[in-house]
Amino acid sequence: MTRTEIRAATSLAAIYMFRMLGLFMILPVFSIYARDLPGATPVLIGLAISAYGLTQAVFQIPFGIWSDRFGRKPLIVIGLLMFAGGSVMAAVADSIYGIVAGRALQGAGAVAGVIMALAADLTQEEHRTKAMALIGVSIGISFAFSMVAGPVLSGWIGVRGIFWSVAGLALLGIAVLYSVVPTPQRVRFHRDTEAQPARFSSVLTNPELVRLDFGIFALHAILTATFVVLPLILRDELRMDTPEHWKIYLPVFVLSMISMVPFVIVAEKKRQMKPVFLSFILLTAAVDVILAGFTPTTLGIGLLLYLFFTAFNLLEATLPSMVSKVAPADLKGTAMGVYSTTQFLGAFVGGAGAGWIQGHHGIPAVFLFCAGIALLWLAVAFGMQKPRHLSSLMVNLGEISASAAADLSARLRGVPGIADAVVVPDEGVAYLKVERERLDRSRLEALLNETAGA
């Protein structure tokens, strides 16, 4: 990667992280804080936690489309200002209703896809995977940091202070956008990062992609539902003050991140993705069943959360990788757009559903709700095909006619190790799905050189 590409990837990852911190930092503390708000009920508390998911799901694909027309940076600024405005609205709210509205406005500033598209504008095709991986890592770091920082900050500045802080982070993101992020020479559509609305039917009728979409829906429904009630258990059952909750979360997250690595290696390197994947869905269900009938102790909660987050981290890491493997070569962006939409819908359903269930049936019923979702997911995933170990590869071809593109696509599919190939003449790019171990690189290079010289 060039220096400009590295600067673009790191600064955009930072902006992405600022926004994700704002969404996640209240998760481990809000249920406790909200109990004393005027008008608060379990349903409204769950809705306040998850309202961002609904608006994020509604607006994220339109934001990407608008950014193609009006520019990336202006749309990112609009989204971050909406996010900051929602944070301020929540910070000054004197009732639960104001926080629900603020969280919904936070989610409506749905710039995640626009950030990805800007990263694509600023990186060469052969380096784009590295840039996207860096942004992906920033998401994981922001989530883990939020679980620890949220309780600590709540003790220092309170939950209102957290909302003010994340408003400041959004404004800092705008400053980074214009002072550090390069401006692309041109904005164009990227099939690997952006959705094609006209092709949604191809994604929504693909049974393997639908299974994975349901998977991320279920995973984030379970996660959000868990944090509607988990802080209450730590506070009321274990008698831990909210600022002390980090003492549970920190070791749990560190150990779970370390523990998942061997299983990821087995899944990817040993070609055991399906059995590992199904096993960790089952582990998630088992943990929730135990939590439903468990008398909480500090050691017991710590052990169960360690198992839960080991499963969560592994599933969260493998799902997008599987989507990338399964999606047709020129539909990765569309597949990921639908996938992200279902992820945020899952967060909304999980939070709202958990709030209603807690209010009517109590905390144990919430964990049974999560276990039921996990078991349904297990049934859906059980019929999945064994994932092929494919990687996405993009090749910049330059100017090419439609007839030459069609001919090259057919010839590329004949190269050993290439499972799918689509050449898009308007973009001058070849989108490939390859088995790297089998790929005949010399034949591929010879074919590309022949095309370049034609």
Side-chain angles (χ1 to χ4, degrees):
M1 296 178 71
T2 66
R3 290 177 119 185
T4 300
E5 288 175 322
I6 293 171
R7 180 158 60 100
T10 54
S11 55
L12 288 171
I15 294 171
Y16 206 113
M17 184 182 293
F18 295 157
R19 187 173 181 277
M20 299 310 289
L21 285 172
L23 292 175
F24 289 144
M25 270 202 292
I26 74 156
L27 269 183
V29 298
F30 187 75
S31 293
I32 296 170
Y33 165 77
R35 289 191 298 186
D36 299 325
L37 288 173
T41 66
V43 173
L44 289 173
I45 291 172
L47 192 59
I49 290 173
S50 63
Y52 79 92
L54 180 60
T55 49
Q56 175 90 21
V58 169
F59 286 104
Q60 68 157 352
I61 290 177
F63 257 80
I65 295 171
W66 295 333
S67 76
D68 288 333
R69 182 175 179 182
F70 301 110
R72 311 291 191 213
K73 287 190 175 182
L75 263 294
I76 293 175
V77 169
I78 291 170
L80 290 176
L81 287 175
M82 292 172 70
F83 186 86
S87 301
V88 171
M89 184 182 296
V92 302
D94 56 5
S95 73
I96 190 67
Y97 299 102
I99 294 182
V100 171
R103 289 286 279 175
L105 183 56
Q106 279 185 325
V111 296
V114 185
I115 291 173
M116 294 291 194
L118 180 54
D121 288 332
L122 292 169
T123 53
Q124 302 170 73
E125 285 80 1
E126 57 266 31
H127 298 313
R128 193 166 300 157
T129 301
K130 301 172 189 175
M132 299 306 168
L134 183 59
I135 294 174
V137 168
S138 76
I139 298 171
I141 292 173
S142 63
F143 179 75
F145 181 80
S146 295
M147 295 301 102
V148 176
V152 174
L153 288 175
S154 72
W156 293 349
I157 59 177
V159 173
R160 289 184 186 273
I162 293 177
F163 281 122
W164 281 113
S165 297
V166 299
L169 286 175
L171 298 179
L172 178 60
I174 295 174
V176 171
L177 180 68
Y178 279 99
S179 63
V180 183
V181 179
T183 298
Q185 293 182 351
R186 64 172 180 149
V187 171
R188 63 185 181 88
F189 182 83
H190 305 277
R191 293 169 185 253
D192 58 317
T193 60
E194 297 181 73
Q196 305 172 64
R199 304 287 301 278
F200 280 155
S201 60
S202 299
V203 170
L204 295 172
T205 56
N206 184 315
E208 297 304 309
L209 288 175
V210 170
R211 285 189 177 95
L212 297 173
D213 292 337
F214 182 80
I216 197 62
F217 173 93
L219 187 62
H220 278 259
I222 292 168
L223 175 72
T224 311
T226 297
F227 276 98
V228 171
V229 296
L230 178 61
L232 302 177
I233 294 175
L234 299 183
R235 175 71 178 267
D236 299 337
E237 300 293 335
L238 300 185
R239 304 299 179 186
M240 293 181 68
D241 290 336
T242 306
E244 302 297 308
H245 290 186
W246 71 269
K247 296 178 180 178
I248 292 282
Y249 295 132
L250 180 59
V252 160
F253 270 97
V254 171
L255 291 174
S256 65
M257 291 294 289
I258 294 171
S259 299
M260 80 165 192
V261 173
F263 296 99
V264 172
I265 293 173
V266 170
E268 293 284 359
K269 302 298 184 183
K270 304 296 183 181
R271 307 295 176 91
Q272 297 297 314
M273 178 64 77
K274 183 174 180 179
V276 170
F277 189 73
L278 295 178
S279 297
F280 277 82
I281 299 174
L282 183 60
L283 176 60
T284 303
V287 168
D288 280 313
V289 169
I290 295 171
L291 284 168
F294 174 67
T295 300
T297 64
T298 302
L299 180 61
I301 285 289
L303 177 60
L304 289 171
L305 288 181
Y306 159 70
L307 294 173
F308 175 83
F309 282 109
T310 300
F312 174 84
N313 290 332
L314 182 138
L315 294 166
E316 178 85 351
T318 55
L319 275 165
S321 172
M322 292 168 69
V323 171
S324 180
K325 290 177 171 65
V326 170
D330 63 333
L331 286 180
K332 180 182 174 183
T334 305
M336 290 304 300
V338 173
Y339 171 88
S340 297
T341 298
T342 54
Q343 171 183 331
F344 290 111
L345 283 175
F348 172 72
V349 170
W356 185 88
I357 291 169
Q358 181 202 349
H360 288 80
H361 303 288
I363 288 176
V366 173
F367 291 118
L368 291 178
F369 167 66
C370 293
I373 293 175
L375 291 173
L376 179 59
W377 179 14
L378 182 65
V380 169
F382 194 79
M384 66 187 285
Q385 297 178 5
K386 183 178 179 181
R388 296 179 66 185
H389 285 256
L390 301 175
S391 301
S392 297
L393 183 65
M394 286 174 291
V395 180
N396 187 12
L397 302 171
E399 188 174 341
I400 185 171
S401 68
S403 59
D407 177 66
L408 180 58
S409 295
R411 296 177 68 187
L412 284 168
R413 294 187 196 105
V415 174
I418 295 183
D420 189 17
V422 177
V423 178
V424 183
D426 293 343
E427 300 175 26
V429 174
Y431 295 91
L432 311 178
K433 301 295 286 289
V434 304
E435 294 183 75
R436 293 191 181 273
E437 297 85 354
R438 294 185 56 245
L439 180 60
D440 188 336
R441 296 181 182 276
S442 59
R443 186 169 169 184
L444 173 60
E445 290 175 7
L447 180 56
L448 293 175
N449 290 334
E450 179 185 333
T451 301

